[in-house]
Amino acid sequence: MKRLGIDIGSTTVKVAVIDEQHNLLFSEYQRHFARIKETLRELLEHAIESVGDCEVAPDITGSGGLALAKVIDVPFEQEVVCVSSALEETAPQTDVAIELGGEDAKIIYFSKSGIEQRMNSVCAGGTGSFIDQMAALLMTDASGLNEYAKTYDTVYPIAARCGVFAKTDIQPLINEGATKPNLSVSIFQAVVNQTISGLACGKPIRGHVAFLGGPLHFLDQLRECFIRTLNLDEEHAILLENSHLFAAIGAALHSDENKTIGLTALANKLSDDLKIEVEVSRLDPLFKDEAELAEFRQRQHSYHVRRGDLKTYSGRVFLGIDAGSTTTKLAVIGERGELLYDFYSNNNGSPVKTTIRALKEIYSLLPETATIAGSCSTGYGEALLKSAMNLDYGEVETIAHYTAAAFFDPEVDTILDIGGQDMKCIKIKNGVVDNVMLNESCSSGCGSFIETFARSLDYEVHDFAEIALTAKTPIDLGSRCTVFMNSKVKQAQKEGASVEDISAGLAYSVIKNALLKVIKLTDPKQLGHQIVVQGGTFYNDAVLRAFELVSGREPIRPDIAGIMGAFGAALIARENYTEGFTSTTISEADVKELTYETQMARCGLCTNNCLLTINKFTGGRRFITGNRCERGLGMKKNAENMPNLYEYKYNRLFQYEPLPIEKAKLPCHSVTQVLQGDLQHGH
């Protein structure tokens, strides 16, 4: 008698075949990329090759198993029950089990009075998918984070409530030059903090602790963070051989021996025409037909910037650099505003290194007849790059984006910019910035979110955007935060939604999030009439089309939408140029020799003891962040004779002389006179 356990998680499928003595005969663990039926069928075929086409008693568990279990008529068991059963048989000394999966996290307490289970509900922070998202920021994968973490020396405080807050903490550290080993171990520590605080909620984790699930099985440095935080020794940290398969093994233990099926027969049930009932709501397609798509492309691909050739240019050129949240952009323009060179690349966790690469290319193309007459930086890494490259100016990105938009449409009254991690809506009135609206604590629907989702479905971003244009029934994801949207997409995948419908639904969601949550529109007319959209996300035709459908407007998307910040910075450098000015921009020889190093240090000049990130560049230039006052920068305190306002407030509150009784009992109409007299006497 053989038993088959199937665990269908949010990101992986696991199978385990055991015999009557509960010995493990076959097991496999594989990501499904939303192809649940196909992946399971492939694993069953591998099982047949290993143990033969035998009769098995099957059982399914996992967050994605219930819907499939119904249509293929296989018993289903709740995964916490399965994990508990496997632990009771394999490691009966366990007092607490911590399990991390692709999108779920569990803590199971074992005691004489029974079993207490705690699971995450609406938040996927601190799970495998969270680790994948953070790894993508550092241009690696989960195993890459694990390798980096082995050589750390500093742990930064990083939020793990969800990917949005974590990115908010990590991205500035990346732009300030924090090392990948330190960032990697900080991500793991954030997972530990989220699991312990979010699930344990103050209940002690003591005794023998078992670590289960794929992330804790494959990432030994993540386990080490848990062990360090919980102060566990070798005896009390239970490391199991097949810890990533425990839900599948538990499902096999719970299988009904009176209900069996052959492995081949079970695999044949997972045919291509097997349909799972779809319950998610749908939206209208982005385009009714090919003709409408062709008209859209012709209209939107007509907004071009005037271009020139840098290799043959003669005269002054101006450099603009935009160090964004996930990408670095450069633009070189001529004296008439023509674009001579553009650069757009993921910053790979190091905007300085990416900028050096671009500058080397610029200098290799720059002829002797042309000179860099001015330079300007903007974006998240504005100050860092201004210091590293010795640029002439730095400008806040709002002004840089408006300058670029006005170049294309002088009458622009609304600018919508969606970048890798941020959204901005800039309202223009009478040629000046009238209002700026930003996403605050949520980056749902920004470029990095779409990019991460595309990778999780095994697609390149461009291909993922292209297939959305022909989707017939896009999924309605609404305007939701990343966590809820993630769950909705996963649910749609489990119910058989196509990747095309998911991609189109995400395009709709990006725009709904921007218009309803960031701009907080109640009427599309509030957007204005002369609208310019920009940011790398708007290179996605599906997102642009969704904006047209949701807002009822036809915006202008320049062909350089992704580098508008850099283009605007270059225009600002050109506007600031005066005859006789000599740019301080780093020379070609200095670029080739430019080296930099990053150090961490404690300020130590006051009780705050700020953790400083010190970037040192060739030529003695330094850029320091993490300081809460000017002393961390090596500067003197401002105005040593400034009054101590805290001391003044304390004395004003606790040493104030009360009014005489006769004045205190004055009628209300005399209070003003008393206060005026009090002020005249210096109180």
Side-chain angles (χ1 to χ4, degrees):
M1 181 63 190
K2 295 182 176 64
R3 300 173 183 268
L4 170 67
I6 301 171
D7 177 17
I8 300 177
S10 54
T11 58
T12 57
V13 175
K14 287 81 71 177
V15 298
V17 179
I18 62 176
D19 62 14
E20 291 182 352
Q21 289 74 39
H22 300 172
N23 298 312
L24 188 62
L25 303 178
F26 171 83
S27 64
E28 193 162 349
Y29 176 106
Q30 186 171 314
R31 284 182 176 260
H32 56 62
F33 297 111
R35 300 170 61 251
I36 294 174
K37 293 181 298 183
E38 294 84 352
T39 304
L40 178 56
R41 185 170 59 196
E42 182 181 340
L43 296 186
L44 290 177
E45 290 170 353
H46 293 172
I48 294 170
E49 294 174 2
S50 177
V51 300
D53 184 17
C54 55
E55 285 283 312
V56 294
D59 195 86
I60 293 181
T61 189
S63 57
L66 182 58
L68 182 61
K70 290 179 179 179
V71 296
I72 63 175
D73 192 27
V74 170
F76 176 83
E77 186 58 72
Q78 211 279 335
E79 58 187 308
V80 175
V81 176
C82 293
V83 170
S84 301
S85 298
L87 270 176
E88 288 172 354
E89 175 163 317
T90 309
Q93 78 274 27
T94 301
D95 297 303
V96 183
I98 299 175
E99 181 186 11
L100 298 184
E103 267 192 19
D104 45 31
K106 310 180 194 70
I107 295 182
I108 307 173
Y109 292 92
F110 297 88
S111 65
K112 294 180 180 179
S113 59
I115 297 175
E116 180 185 352
Q117 302 112 356
R118 301 188 177 191
M119 297 182 63
N120 64 328
S121 53
V122 297
C123 180
T127 62
S129 61
F130 168 83
I131 294 173
D132 286 340
Q133 290 182 20
M134 298 305 102
L137 275 180
L138 301 186
M139 295 304 295
T140 185
D141 54 15
S143 61
L145 287 184
N146 195 64
E147 288 300 314
Y148 282 132
K150 293 178 180 179
T151 58
Y152 80 97
D153 55 40
T154 303
V155 179
Y156 299 103
I158 293 176
R161 178 60 184 165
C162 73
V164 174
F165 299 112
K167 287 180 181 178
T168 303
D169 286 341
I170 290 174
Q171 200 60 59
L173 292 172
I174 293 175
N175 291 340
E176 291 164 8
T179 64
K180 289 186 178 181
N182 290 341
L183 289 172
S184 299
V185 76
S186 301
I187 291 168
F188 287 158
Q189 187 61 50
V191 171
V192 173
N193 297 342
Q194 167 65 9
T195 304
I196 294 175
S197 62
L199 297 185
C201 298
K203 183 169 182 175
I205 300 176
R206 296 179 182 146
H208 296 85
V209 181
F211 298 99
L212 309 175
L216 286 170
H217 177 81
F218 294 108
L219 306 176
D220 64 317
Q221 295 304 304
L222 177 60
R223 287 199 310 269
E224 286 300 316
C225 284
F226 271 101
I227 292 171
R228 283 197 301 269
T229 303
L230 297 173
N231 294 317
L232 300 176
D233 55 26
E234 291 185 7
E235 177 188 351
H236 292 86
I238 302 176
L239 308 180
L240 299 163
E241 183 180 358
N242 297 302
S243 58
H244 58 310
L245 302 169
F246 261 54
I249 294 172
L253 294 173
H254 277 274
S255 62
D256 185 356
E257 62 183 19
N258 296 316
K259 187 168 185 178
T260 63
I261 187 174
L263 285 175
T264 299
L266 182 58
N268 290 338
K269 283 189 174 185
L270 300 167
S271 59
D272 294 335
D273 57 356
L274 179 68
K275 299 297 181 183
I276 303 175
E277 184 179 355
V278 177
E279 298 178 357
V280 292
S281 56
R282 303 290 178 138
L283 297 167
D284 293 332
L286 295 173
F287 298 97
K288 296 177 182 178
D289 50 39
E290 288 291 335
E292 193 173 39
L293 174 59
E295 186 276 331
F296 164 83
R297 281 178 165 159
Q298 182 179 4
R299 169 166 46 84
Q300 283 296 347
H301 293 185
S302 60
Y303 304 109
H304 295 284
V305 68
R306 186 170 69 252
R307 293 181 179 267
D309 186 2
L310 179 60
K311 292 185 292 185
T312 60
Y313 189 81
S314 178
R316 304 182 186 93
V317 300
F318 302 90
L319 170 67
I321 304 176
D322 179 10
S325 56
T326 57
T327 55
T328 299
K329 289 82 67 176
L330 282 83
V332 177
I333 65 172
E335 297 181 46
R336 294 179 298 171
E338 65 271 39
L339 183 63
L340 305 175
Y341 170 88
D342 61 282
F343 177 88
Y344 183 105
S345 173
N346 194 301
N347 59 33
N348 300 319
S350 176
V352 173
K353 186 180 296 184
T354 306
T355 303
I356 290 174
R357 175 162 58 92
L359 280 177
K360 287 181 179 178
E361 184 177 342
I362 289 173
Y363 276 119
S364 69
L365 299 174
L366 193 69
E368 295 182 359
T369 56
T371 57
I372 296 178
S375 56
C376 178
S377 61
T378 190
Y380 282 91
E382 170 204 330
L384 174 64
L385 291 184
K386 184 175 185 293
S387 174
M389 308 305 163
N390 215 20
L391 305 180
D392 302 314
Y393 312 103
E395 185 59 81
V396 64
E397 56 187 315
T398 302
I399 301 301
H401 283 289
Y402 168 54
T403 303
F407 182 84
F408 283 89
D409 183 3
E411 302 299 321
V412 60
D413 57 18
T414 303
I415 302 167
L416 182 61
D417 175 70
I418 302 180
Q421 196 185 321
D422 51 14
M423 293 183 183
K424 293 185 290 291
C425 179
I426 307 171
K427 301 289 291 184
I428 309 300
K429 187 175 182 180
N430 298 326
V432 296
V433 175
D434 182 58
N435 192 15
V436 179
M437 290 158 281
L438 304 169
N439 62 322
E440 297 169 355
S441 60
C442 180
S443 67
S444 174
C446 293
S448 60
F449 172 71
I450 297 178
E451 182 179 5
T452 302
F453 241 111
R455 289 182 178 177
S456 71
L457 298 176
D458 204 21
Y459 272 81
E460 292 296 326
V461 176
H462 178 269
D463 298 332
F464 189 65
E466 193 67 22
I467 61 176
L469 303 177
T470 56
K472 302 299 181 186
T473 52
I475 299 167
D476 185 5
L477 298 172
S479 57
R480 308 163 69 88
C481 76
T482 300
V483 175
F484 297 117
M485 199 183 303
N486 224 17
S487 301
K488 191 71 175 282
V489 169
K490 296 298 181 185
Q491 184 63 34
Q493 292 173 346
K494 295 162 190 173
E495 295 179 359
S498 68
V499 179
E500 290 85 349
D501 292 339
I502 292 172
S503 180
L506 285 171
Y508 270 111
S509 182
V510 168
I511 298 305
K512 288 182 178 179
N513 189 62
L515 299 185
L516 301 179
K517 293 179 67 176
V518 177
I519 307 175
K520 298 180 176 64
L521 286 182
T522 56
D523 184 349
K525 294 180 181 178
Q526 297 172 353
L527 273 177
H529 299 281
Q530 303 293 112
I531 303 172
V532 175
V533 296
Q534 53 194 43
T537 303
F538 274 111
Y539 280 137
N540 185 327
D541 281 345
V543 172
L544 180 60
R545 177 59 175 173
F547 177 83
E548 292 187 349
L549 294 177
V550 173
S551 68
R553 295 284 193 268
E554 291 187 359
I556 293 175
R557 179 189 63 182
D559 64 328
I560 58 168
I563 65 163
M564 289 287 274
F567 185 71
L571 290 173
I572 290 170
R574 186 188 66 160
E575 292 172 2
N576 287 335
Y577 177 79
T578 56
E579 195 66 35
F581 175 78
T582 301
S583 175
T584 60
T585 307
I586 190 170
S587 66
E588 180 178 8
D590 290 338
V591 168
K592 292 179 180 179
E593 297 178 0
L594 179 62
T595 60
Y596 64 96
E597 62 180 45
T598 301
Q599 297 177 344
M600 308 301 299
R602 293 286 179 181
C603 176
L605 295 178
C606 74
T607 54
N608 281 330
N609 205 25
C610 296
L611 179 62
L612 305 179
T613 303
I614 305 172
N615 294 274
K616 296 181 179 180
F617 306 101
T618 305
R621 297 186 304 279
R622 298 198 309 169
F623 179 70
I624 302 174
T625 58
N627 54 298
R628 302 181 197 179
C629 73
E630 61 274 8
R631 297 179 72 183
L633 304 179
M635 301 167 61
K636 293 183 178 180
K637 291 176 64 176
N638 288 331
E640 295 288 346
N641 59 346
M642 286 184 66
N644 187 328
L645 296 181
Y646 280 98
E647 181 181 5
Y648 170 81
K649 177 182 177 182
Y650 181 87
N651 293 333
R652 186 76 176 94
L653 288 173
F654 297 106
Q655 297 182 14
Y656 177 70
E657 296 181 6
L659 294 173
I661 188 67
E662 59 273 10
K663 288 187 177 182
K665 292 184 177 180
L666 286 175
C668 293
H669 67 271
S670 302
V671 171
T672 302
Q673 297 175 352
V674 174
L675 291 177
Q676 289 175 344
D678 190 40
L679 291 173
Q680 290 173 358
H681 287 85
H683 292 297

